[in-house]
Amino acid sequence: MLQFGKKGDAPVNPDAITFLVTGSKLNLNKYLKGVEPDQVECGLHRHRTRDDHARWPIKQADEFNVWFSCTIKHTNGDFMLTSFLRYPTEQPPSTQDSDTWPAISDRATITTTAVMMMKTLTPSLKSNLGAQNKLHCQFAIDHKGPNFTLEWHKRGERSTLFSYSRRTGQTEGQGVELKGLADGDASYNLAYTKIANEGAYVCSVSVLPLSASLDISLHVEESPRVALSVGPTLTLEVGEMQKVVCEVDHYYPLDVQIVWYKQEPAALGQTAGSLLPTMVANTLLSSHKHNSDRTYSLSSFFYLSASLSDSGKQFTCKVSHKSLRVDIKKSFILTVEEPSSWFFVFSMLVIIVIFLAVLFKMLPTLHKGKSTDVTF
């Protein structure tokens, strides 16, 4: 059990091993305000320091330290916190080897104080391309003016994004506001997020003999742009064929799903008792196109052969992608017309030609009749 209180407080659960975190200049409990116990997962571990002989600044001269690390995660991913708990002991560091650590008895109460804490409100962050992002990292130490070292780096890359040493005042890289470090704000700022920025970032703070770090994952997601090659309505004659394309552009990451279906007119706008949509057969996909900004494009198409049975139906392209809360749907209504009667058209043309021929032959007679008229 992890319990916050005062030295000598009775354990909440007397049957459990209790780690009692008492008040100090670093009040760990204030970083958990408004959080219910069932909203967090807690892990406690023994911790061996890099230098057992290094003194912690506020400990008494006749005390040695046993260290525990405490990690607290919100079950919804709202934050992650890691801290070091100091347990004073009279045993010298030479007897604190990991193989000879003394056992903790059942129902024991381990009275500790928090001496160092790191917290992030963005353990997993999603971002669109071009967005400004702040990778939150906060730290606190139980004494003033600690000689801490701060470092930011990205996993899998050798170069350091930012580093700062309070002892020397030396700074390397950019992205962290120095004025915020005095208040424990070590957040890293990305002015313009690119796909290359995706990955796991590590914020680490060291104060001898302790060193803590937090992992922050940045996930880039870009929503697709969807367009149809036809307008909201499409008119064809029976038997006419038309290629219909659904263009899906500028999305990331790669996985996307495109589905074509058609819906009976009776089903449009209805939620109950309507006819179910049917999948469009023989749809095809193009190859993925890799754009210059490392996003992807894909198209799905089919050849629509117009039939009277499909007239009035709505054809829909539905696109699913992890960046979308709701699927994107683009639709058009198909109207199929009867073909024109070639016999009727031919008949009308024949009649017009005969009429013109008769009129042409009658013109000389009419003209002669006019010329023989006598005026008295």
Side-chain angles (χ1 to χ4, degrees):
M1 297 287 293
L2 182 68
Q3 180 177 331
F4 296 94
K6 299 179 181 179
K7 189 174 183 179
D9 283 355
V12 174
N13 183 352
D15 295 325
I17 297 174
T18 300
F19 282 78
L20 178 64
V21 183
T22 60
S24 66
K25 291 183 179 180
L26 171 56
N27 182 7
L28 188 62
N29 196 24
K30 78 173 186 179
Y31 297 99
L32 299 170
K33 282 186 176 179
V35 180
E36 298 297 328
D38 60 353
Q39 294 178 315
V40 296
E41 297 175 352
C42 179
L44 287 158
H45 305 274
R46 296 182 188 265
H47 180 76
R48 182 182 178 90
T49 61
R50 293 182 296 176
D51 185 355
D52 287 330
H53 297 278
R55 292 174 54 85
W56 191 254
I58 65 169
K59 75 174 185 179
Q60 298 178 10
D62 58 347
E63 285 184 347
F64 299 105
N65 293 318
V66 172
W67 300 101
F68 296 93
S69 65
C70 175
T71 302
I72 301 175
K73 298 179 181 180
H74 196 282
T75 53
N76 291 336
D78 292 349
F79 69 84
M80 181 169 62
L81 180 150
T82 185
S83 64
F84 288 110
L85 306 180
R86 184 173 71 93
Y87 175 64
T89 177
E90 297 180 356
Q91 297 178 350
S94 58
T95 65
Q96 295 179 24
D97 185 84
S98 59
D99 295 330
T100 59
W101 270 326
I104 299 174
S105 60
D106 292 341
R107 301 184 180 87
T109 297
I110 311 298
T111 303
T112 66
T113 55
V115 299
M116 182 176 173
M117 182 280 310
M118 292 186 70
K119 180 180 180 180
T120 179
L121 299 175
T122 57
S124 183
L125 183 63
K126 293 181 180 180
S127 173
N128 296 116
L129 287 176
Q132 294 183 354
N133 282 291
K134 182 178 182 179
L135 309 183
H136 179 261
C137 182
Q138 180 182 8
F139 70 96
I141 302 168
D142 69 345
H143 56 277
K144 292 183 178 180
N147 289 323
F148 69 89
T149 300
L150 168 69
E151 182 176 301
W152 275 95
H153 72 274
K154 189 178 178 183
R155 290 202 181 277
E157 297 183 4
R158 294 183 179 181
S159 59
T160 299
L161 298 172
F162 179 85
S163 66
Y164 171 76
S165 172
R166 191 180 188 280
R167 183 178 62 84
T168 63
Q170 184 175 359
T171 302
E172 179 184 347
Q174 298 178 344
V176 177
E177 297 182 6
L178 293 179
K179 62 181 181 180
L181 291 177
D183 297 323
D185 185 3
S187 300
Y188 185 78
N189 298 287
L190 282 170
Y192 187 90
T193 301
K194 299 178 292 185
I195 291 178
N197 298 133
E198 187 174 52
Y201 291 76
V202 181
C203 175
S204 58
V205 176
S206 299
V207 181
L208 289 177
L210 301 175
S211 179
S213 63
L214 290 172
D215 280 27
I216 300 172
S217 298
L218 176 64
H219 305 278
V220 178
E221 294 182 359
E222 188 69 12
S223 300
R225 304 166 186 171
V226 182
L228 297 181
S229 62
V230 297
T233 59
L234 177 62
T235 302
L236 299 175
E237 289 187 353
V238 173
E240 188 177 355
M241 185 171 289
Q242 173 80 39
K243 181 181 179 181
V244 183
V245 184
C246 182
E247 296 282 356
V248 183
D249 297 321
H250 200 68
Y251 60 88
Y252 187 87
L254 178 64
D255 292 337
V256 68
Q257 184 180 31
I258 308 174
V259 175
W260 279 101
Y261 63 88
K262 57 185 177 181
Q263 202 164 8
E264 296 288 346
L268 299 180
Q270 298 183 12
T271 58
S274 61
L275 298 175
L276 294 175
T278 58
M279 304 295 292
V280 175
N282 300 321
T283 58
L284 300 171
L285 290 174
S286 68
S287 300
H288 278 98
K289 177 184 175 183
H290 207 165
N291 302 316
S292 58
D293 60 358
R294 297 178 63 180
T295 59
Y296 299 95
S297 295
L298 182 69
S299 63
S300 175
F301 61 95
F302 69 98
Y303 291 91
L304 175 58
S305 182
S307 65
L308 290 175
S309 61
D310 285 335
S311 186
K313 289 184 179 179
Q314 177 176 273
F315 288 75
T316 301
C317 172
K318 183 179 74 170
V319 177
S320 304
H321 189 257
K322 67 182 302 182
S323 65
L324 301 172
R325 292 185 178 180
V326 179
D327 294 339
I328 297 177
K329 298 178 181 179
K330 296 289 183 178
S331 303
F332 68 92
I333 301 293
L334 175 65
T335 300
V336 181
E337 297 179 342
E338 290 278 5
S340 301
S341 174
W342 288 104
F343 179 78
F344 175 78
V345 173
F346 179 77
S347 299
M348 292 302 297
L349 288 174
V350 170
I351 292 172
I352 293 172
V353 169
I354 293 174
F355 174 79
L356 291 175
V358 172
L359 182 61
F360 180 77
K361 286 185 176 183
M362 291 179 63
L363 282 176
T365 304
L366 293 173
H367 179 69
K368 183 178 180 181
K370 287 183 178 181
S371 62
T372 58
D373 288 343
V374 179
T375 303
F376 295 94

